Amino acid sequence: MTTLTTPRSIPTNEGTDIRLKDILKTLPKECFQQNQRKAWLGLLTNVLLVGLGYAGIAIAPWYLLPLFWIFTGTALTGFFVIAHDCGHRSFAKRRWVNDLVGHIFMLPLIYPFHSWRLLHNHHHLHTNKLDIDNAWQPFRPEVFANSDKFTQWGYRLVRGRFWWVGSIAHWAIMHFDWSQFSGKNRNQVKLSVSVVAIFAAIAFPALIATTGIWGFVKFWLMPWLVYHFWMSTFTLVHHTVSDVPFHPASNWNAATAQLSGTLHCNYPRWIEFLCHDINVHVPHHISTAIPSYNLRLAYSSLKENWAEYLHKESQFSWSLMQQITDECYLYDQKNCYRSFQDYHGISR
């Protein structure tokens, strides 16, 4: 039997009159101010660090390659965070600059910018809304029991020790399908898919022609897998622990969902630096207009004014991931998350 953490007392959504705008009023105005020097300096630093990582991969002996893969893949996650700011229009004041930088920095990751932007905004609008949020949505027991065997197997996989492939599945299944969009949004998604398809059609054959299949694996695939490890880990940890509440639309409240359903996890400082403090995630859910370099300032304010609604901070570790991947499988309104062992009659 899996040992479960006793849920702490988190304010429920029912009966609350807290609104997001009430929280926003307490944040310092500096949190929302764009600083172009910080933005572009962060971008240039990130480019240099990624270049350093690739240079290391090129010259390192085989036994040091894993270290450079980890470094380069983590730095490429910083590329994604820069594009993430662009998607929320918090990188630059001009929309075309955000779109251009966002597309360029997602190219090495083969990520269509506009499809990610639109789907990610859906997550922000419906954070921890049961059956609607599109980021690490938990299965209810009855949904899991009525799913086909392949879906059950896949869910067990990405909710267990293979959580780090979850973002790969999300990327492949959701971000290249423009049929789920309409009108202007569909055209934008088609553009983004075309951009990454053209890039891959040129870059991958050129890489293989000059460095061979091993070069493709060494220079692109392995750093890309490290990037997805962090993508899966960040997004899972941001909203998942055994007592984090999800609510149906009927009693969902945006303010408490963002405050109590978004978690702060501390990572080693070098990871936070390379990934532009994306782990400081609660203020980002209060307002996507806060640039990444202002997240720590905003979080300090939230701790000062809204501490009773914030979930306890966690420390990234294997024990944390073990706890999440052991406990957080199926969800019900009464008990929050439970492991498979806590339910009888679930298909195995």
Side-chain angles (χ1 to χ4, degrees):
M1 182 70 70
T2 302
T3 301
L4 292 167
T5 302
T6 302
R8 73 175 187 86
S9 178
I10 297 177
T12 65
N13 289 330
E14 298 183 34
T16 184
D17 58 356
I18 298 175
R19 299 165 298 178
L20 276 176
K21 66 180 182 179
D22 298 324
I23 304 170
L24 290 170
K25 289 178 182 178
T26 67
L27 294 176
K29 292 181 180 179
E30 293 85 351
C31 295
F32 304 95
Q33 292 176 356
Q34 292 185 13
N35 185 316
Q36 292 303 290
R37 184 187 64 82
K38 288 183 178 180
W40 288 100
L41 181 60
L43 181 151
L44 292 173
T45 301
N46 207 156
V47 170
L48 290 173
L49 291 170
V50 168
L52 179 64
Y54 280 124
I57 292 173
I59 64 175
W62 65 268
Y63 52 85
L64 291 180
L65 281 175
L67 294 177
F68 283 99
W69 287 335
I70 292 170
F71 177 85
T72 307
T74 308
L76 284 170
T77 308
F79 270 27
F80 183 89
V81 178
I82 289 172
H84 174 272
D85 273 12
C86 291
H88 289 304
R89 312 308 188 193
S90 61
F91 178 82
K93 294 180 180 179
R94 290 183 172 84
R95 176 165 296 193
W96 71 266
V97 176
N98 285 308
D99 286 348
L100 179 61
V101 173
H103 276 91
I104 291 173
F105 275 68
M106 282 194 172
L107 279 180
L109 310 172
I110 315 300
Y111 232 113
F113 174 73
H114 281 307
S115 60
W116 168 81
R117 178 179 63 82
L118 294 166
L119 290 169
H120 184 66
N121 284 338
H122 179 88
H123 161 62
H124 275 275
L125 288 171
H126 305 284
T127 303
N128 288 26
K129 188 181 290 185
L130 198 60
D131 300 325
I132 298 177
D133 188 356
N134 61 1
W136 291 97
Q137 175 73 223
F139 276 21
R140 288 173 286 111
E142 62 271 22
V143 173
F144 181 86
N146 292 326
S147 298
D148 59 80
K149 296 296 183 182
F150 180 78
T151 300
Q152 291 183 356
W153 173 82
Y155 187 73
R156 283 179 178 270
L157 186 75
V158 299
R159 283 285 177 172
R161 294 297 188 264
F162 286 86
W163 84 88
W164 49 273
V165 304
S167 69
I168 298 177
H170 195 268
W171 163 81
I173 294 170
M174 300 188 67
H175 291 85
F176 294 86
D177 178 16
W178 55 69
S179 66
Q180 61 187 308
F181 305 97
S182 61
K184 179 183 177 181
N185 289 342
R186 178 177 292 189
N187 292 332
Q188 290 179 330
V189 172
K190 284 183 177 180
L191 170 65
S192 294
V193 171
S194 298
V195 167
V196 297
I198 292 170
F199 174 82
I202 296 172
F204 288 171
L207 183 60
I208 293 171
T210 54
T211 66
I213 295 297
W214 171 237
F216 174 79
V217 172
K218 183 171 71 169
F219 286 104
W220 184 79
L221 181 60
M222 297 308 296
W224 184 78
L225 289 175
V226 171
Y227 152 73
H228 272 290
F229 170 88
W230 288 123
M231 271 290 288
S232 297
T233 301
F234 284 142
T235 53
L236 178 63
V237 173
H238 280 164
H239 300 285
T240 309
V241 75
S242 57
D243 60 333
V244 163
F246 274 68
H247 292 278
S250 59
N251 70 330
W252 180 86
N253 175 275
T256 53
Q258 310 295 11
L259 278 175
S260 302
T262 308
L263 311 179
H264 179 94
C265 180
N266 295 302
Y267 291 77
R269 193 67 192 99
W270 69 273
I271 295 173
E272 296 178 347
F273 173 74
L274 289 175
C275 298
H276 305 286
D277 288 333
I278 193 61
N279 60 297
V280 187
H281 205 61
V282 183
H284 174 64
H285 267 269
I286 299 304
S287 174
T288 59
I290 301 174
S292 57
Y293 45 81
N294 289 336
L295 290 173
R296 290 189 180 275
L297 173 63
Y299 186 56
S300 295
S301 175
L302 290 175
K303 288 196 293 184
E304 181 179 348
N305 294 292
W306 302 93
E308 66 178 298
Y309 289 93
L310 297 176
H311 200 281
K312 181 180 178 181
E313 292 183 9
S314 58
Q315 196 76 27
F316 176 69
S317 64
W318 170 246
S319 61
L320 173 66
M321 300 313 299
Q322 187 176 32
Q323 180 187 39
I324 291 174
T325 56
D326 280 347
E327 298 176 2
C328 300
Y329 285 104
L330 302 170
Y331 189 90
D332 65 53
Q333 283 282 276
K334 182 178 179 181
N335 299 307
C336 288
Y337 282 105
R338 286 295 182 264
S339 67
F340 285 115
Q341 289 89 338
D342 288 323
Y343 287 93
H344 302 287
I346 294 292
S347 299
R348 297 183 184 277

